[in-house]
Amino acid sequence: MINIEPERLKQQLTFLFEIDKLKTIIRRNNLIATPERLENSAEHSWHLAFYVLALAEHANEEINVFRTMKMVLLHDIVEIDAGDTFAYDIQAVDTHDREVLAAKRIFGLLPADQAVEFMSLWEEFEAGATPEAKFAVSVDRLHPLMHNYVTGGGSWKRHDVKRPQVDKRMLPIQDGSVTLAETVKAILDDSVEQGMLKTS
Amino acid sequence: MINIEPERLKQQLTFLFEIDKLKTIIRRNNLIATPERLENSAEHSWHLAFYVLALAEHANEEINVFRTMKMVLLHDIVEIDAGDTFAYDIQAVDTHDREVLAAKRIFGLLPADQAVEFMSLWEEFEAGATPEAKFAVSVDRLHPLMHNYVTGGGSWKRHDVKRPQVDKRMLPIQDGSVTLAETVKAILDDSVEQGMLKTS
């Protein structure tokens, strides 16, 4: 590759080439459009940006939509090094340390000021404490649930996930949006009734 | 599916389910990470959001980064109905009419106020007249060029594309960013030198 000038642009392009790898990280949930294919984390992040844009009015508190969108667009980039952790995997406890290292390496490819901004957005998402992070976490939980529901069970069936596990996983949604949490409850009730999700 | 209340939320979710289809629209350029796989338009749009975020400082004029990001995230949604048009395809002239119909149908799934906002962002991108649209168009042209360059020729080689065609295609980049246009020129010179791109 040619030596790109200025140095800042070179660092930015290096980061942009690196994150292409997120398109190869495969999640456990399937697509809606072609349920035989599992989703990758880049297209998932794209979809979440629209969950934020379209659903922001349902947040419990008024949110900065731009910051929330940036959070969902970058929250999974750490998976390039750390891999995707299935929500219902018991071994998920050790992943946070690996993800911190990944965030430092990958965001560290950018010029320092941008690295700090991206790192801070990622940490805000992980901490889940601000109204923006709470809503970002809500849509991140909501999205695969919707894919499972609309495709007749999806990863719940494939991985024999039970209603109490899903209820627990969906608990943070109420902190971001009571409206969405109520919708989730109705959808899970219907999923059980339709035989897509077992209670035990 | 259960009857979701309120009606606005139902419309928003219907839109969010519909746009899942963008993940099945395959472009002509390959990934960097796994060059044997072609990119889909959803992951392309995700990547462009980061091109905007990381490179905004190189825009000729100061841009509203949030609006520019929304533009690149939604600019390809019309392909769900209209299909992806290869940049070097002569038949591309007829696609705009199909894309207008597609935008009306798909954005029209949203509540009216949101449909108007999304339609207006899409029209702004298509018109390419504002500083934000000019920069959005620039990164949309830059992105596949970078993938071709970094993977040794990519779709230029597969589709026997020549330097003058690429130069013409890249012309709008200078309207968005002279810095990026200069980088593109250097990259294309090197691509010819390295034998990735033929001059005639």
Side-chain angles (χ1 to χ4, degrees):
Chain A
M1 188 156 68
I2 55 159
N3 193 23
I4 288 167
E5 298 279 357
E7 179 67 17
R8 276 185 71 85
L9 178 55
K10 186 181 174 180
Q11 293 171 325
Q12 289 156 345
L13 290 174
T14 302
F15 169 78
L16 291 171
F17 297 162
E18 178 67 19
I19 65 171
D20 190 68
K21 292 177 183 162
L22 195 63
K23 300 168 192 169
T24 69
I25 305 292
I26 307 300
R27 294 168 48 85
R28 303 291 178 103
N29 66 276
N30 48 258
L31 301 189
I32 296 173
T34 51
E36 65 281 8
R37 178 161 84 74
L38 297 179
E39 189 176 46
N40 71 58
S41 290
E43 52 196 10
H44 164 72
S45 302
W46 169 81
H47 211 166
L48 283 193
F50 281 96
Y51 269 68
V52 171
L53 256 184
L55 302 178
E57 69 194 52
H58 305 294
N60 291 339
E61 299 165 80
E62 195 160 328
I63 57 168
N64 178 320
V65 178
F66 183 29
R67 205 166 86 245
T68 314
M69 268 180 67
K70 286 193 277 189
M71 257 186 254
V72 298
L73 285 166
L74 67 73
H75 80 292
D76 272 342
I77 285 180
V78 294
E79 294 177 356
I80 288 172
D81 289 353
D84 177 53
T85 306
F86 185 44
Y88 301 103
D89 190 341
I90 292 162
Q91 296 170 328
V93 281
D94 290 334
T95 52
H96 187 70
D97 289 352
R98 281 190 289 137
E99 290 186 349
V100 170
L101 288 173
K104 285 181 181 165
R105 182 188 76 76
I106 301 166
F107 299 142
L109 297 171
L110 286 162
D113 56 318
Q114 292 182 316
V116 167
E117 189 205 345
F118 281 40
M119 191 73 192
S120 146
L121 285 164
W122 180 74
E123 286 169 343
E124 183 179 349
F125 177 87
E126 286 292 298
T130 62
E132 284 77 11
K134 285 178 189 167
F135 193 71
V137 170
S138 293
V139 297
D140 189 38
R141 303 285 163 109
L142 179 66
H143 171 268
L145 175 138
M146 289 302 192
H147 282 231
N148 285 340
Y149 180 59
V150 175
T151 60
S155 61
W156 296 332
K157 281 190 171 172
R158 284 194 300 279
H159 298 284
D160 199 26
V161 175
K162 304 294 196 317
R163 170 80 190 253
Q165 293 167 277
V166 181
D167 280 335
K168 192 177 165 198
R169 178 79 188 154
M170 297 304 147
L171 217 50
I173 294 182
Q174 67 189 18
D175 300 332
S177 168
V178 167
T179 305
L180 295 180
E182 283 167 359
T183 303
V184 162
K185 192 189 168 303
I187 282 176
L188 289 177
D189 288 347
D190 189 54
S191 300
V192 169
E193 196 163 316
Q194 303 287 332
M196 301 178 202
L197 179 62
K198 290 182 183 163
T199 51
S200 62
Chain B
M1 189 155 68
I2 54 159
N3 192 22
I4 288 167
E5 299 277 355
E7 179 67 17
R8 276 184 72 85
L9 178 55
K10 185 180 175 181
Q11 292 171 326
Q12 289 156 345
L13 290 174
T14 302
F15 169 78
L16 290 171
F17 297 161
E18 178 67 19
I19 65 171
D20 191 68
K21 291 177 184 162
L22 196 63
K23 301 168 190 168
T24 69
I25 304 294
I26 307 301
R27 294 168 48 84
R28 303 291 178 104
N29 66 276
N30 49 258
L31 300 189
I32 296 173
T34 50
E36 65 281 7
R37 178 161 86 72
L38 297 180
E39 189 176 47
N40 71 59
S41 290
E43 52 195 10
H44 165 72
S45 302
W46 168 82
H47 210 166
L48 283 193
F50 282 95
Y51 269 67
V52 171
L53 258 183
L55 303 177
E57 69 195 51
H58 305 294
N60 291 339
E61 298 166 81
E62 196 161 328
I63 56 169
N64 177 322
V65 179
F66 183 28
R67 204 166 86 244
T68 315
M69 265 180 64
K70 287 193 278 190
M71 255 185 255
V72 296
L73 285 166
L74 66 73
H75 79 293
D76 272 343
I77 284 180
V78 293
E79 293 177 356
I80 288 173
D81 288 354
D84 178 52
T85 306
F86 185 44
Y88 301 103
D89 190 342
I90 292 162
Q91 296 171 326
V93 281
D94 290 334
T95 53
H96 187 72
D97 290 351
R98 282 190 288 137
E99 290 186 349
V100 171
L101 288 175
K104 285 181 182 165
R105 182 188 75 77
I106 301 167
F107 299 141
L109 296 171
L110 285 162
D113 56 319
Q114 291 182 317
V116 166
E117 189 206 344
F118 281 40
M119 192 72 191
S120 144
L121 285 164
W122 180 73
E123 286 169 343
E124 183 179 348
F125 177 88
E126 286 293 298
T130 63
E132 285 76 13
K134 284 178 191 167
F135 194 70
V137 169
S138 292
V139 297
D140 190 39
R141 304 283 163 111
L142 179 66
H143 171 267
L145 174 138
M146 289 302 192
H147 281 232
N148 285 340
Y149 179 59
V150 176
T151 60
S155 62
W156 296 331
K157 281 191 171 171
R158 283 195 301 279
H159 298 283
D160 199 27
V161 176
K162 304 293 195 321
R163 170 80 189 254
Q165 293 167 276
V166 181
D167 280 335
K168 192 178 168 198
R169 177 79 188 154
M170 298 304 147
L171 217 49
I173 293 182
Q174 67 190 18
D175 300 332
S177 168
V178 168
T179 305
L180 295 180
E182 284 168 0
T183 304
V184 162
K185 191 188 168 305
I187 283 176
L188 290 178
D189 288 347
D190 190 53
S191 300
V192 169
E193 197 162 317
Q194 302 289 329
M196 302 178 201
L197 178 63
K198 290 182 183 162
T199 51
S200 62

